[in-house]
Amino acid sequence: MTAIFEAPAETLGEHIARLQTVEAEADSVQAWQPMLIPGLLQSYSYAAAAIHAAAPSLPLDVVGERADARRRRIDTLGKPGRRSVAVVVDESALYRPVGGYVALVDQLEHLLTLAALQPSLSVRVLPQGIEAHPGLVGAFTLYRATGRRAVFVESLTSSEITTRPEDVAAYASAWERLLGLALPVRESLELIDSTREVLCRRLKTAR
């Protein structure tokens, strides 16, 4: 695990490969996302739209490959008895039409299906109107593997996987704060489902 978590400077391809390896070996994954549905829970159309929006110069075939890889990430996570995946997403992400409203409905249905089929996956929503919190700084993902912990943070032009104790401690504290503010799992899934139903009715009316 040391070589995986503490690799030197690397290319984008090497970085993505290392992140995938960390995810595959993690005992637990804890992800916060204030703007989008987290990558490992994204449907193909939603992922393709999100990737293209962040990197519009990427060739479409590359966008498709990355979207497909992102869609398949959950296949190595959340399996009973192997690891746990916990996600907190801001409520605003449930309404943001990434790829359009049809893609958003498909994404919400995909999210509900994953939550139903993956016993080790928990999805919670941070409701709108909540007080200021450390997650306002941006998205992050915490990983734990064989007793070691790492945190992944990403910006428009760079991303980092770090095991520095002070970084891990800060993000772990932020995660606990977000859990304390988020809706329980059942209420979160009910909110996701009700949002999906409203969007479906709007789409039918618009036809």
Side-chain angles (χ1 to χ4, degrees), residues 141-172:
T141 305
L142 284 159
Y143 300 98
R144 185 180 66 234
T146 61
R148 295 177 60 81
R149 300 199 74 181
V151 61
F152 170 72
V153 291
E154 185 176 20
S155 67
L156 184 63
T157 58
S158 65
S159 57
E160 179 186 17
I161 303 171
T162 175
T163 58
R164 288 189 294 269
E166 60 272 27
D167 293 339
V168 172
Y171 282 99

Side-chain angles (χ1 to χ4, degrees), residues 18-27 76-77 82-83 143:
R18 186 162 73 98
L19 177 59
Q20 291 173 338
T21 302
V22 170
E23 284 188 344
E25 296 194 9
D27 302 318
T76 61
L77 296 169
R82 290 190 56 189
R83 58 182 61 87
Y143 300 98

Side-chain angles (χ1 to χ4, degrees), residues 104-127:
L104 178 58
V105 168
D106 178 65
Q107 172 60 67
L108 296 181
E109 291 176 347
H110 181 67
L111 189 58
L112 291 167
T113 299
L114 289 176
L117 296 178
Q118 296 276 0
S120 297
L121 169 66
S122 67
V123 179
R124 298 178 62 178
V125 176
L126 191 71

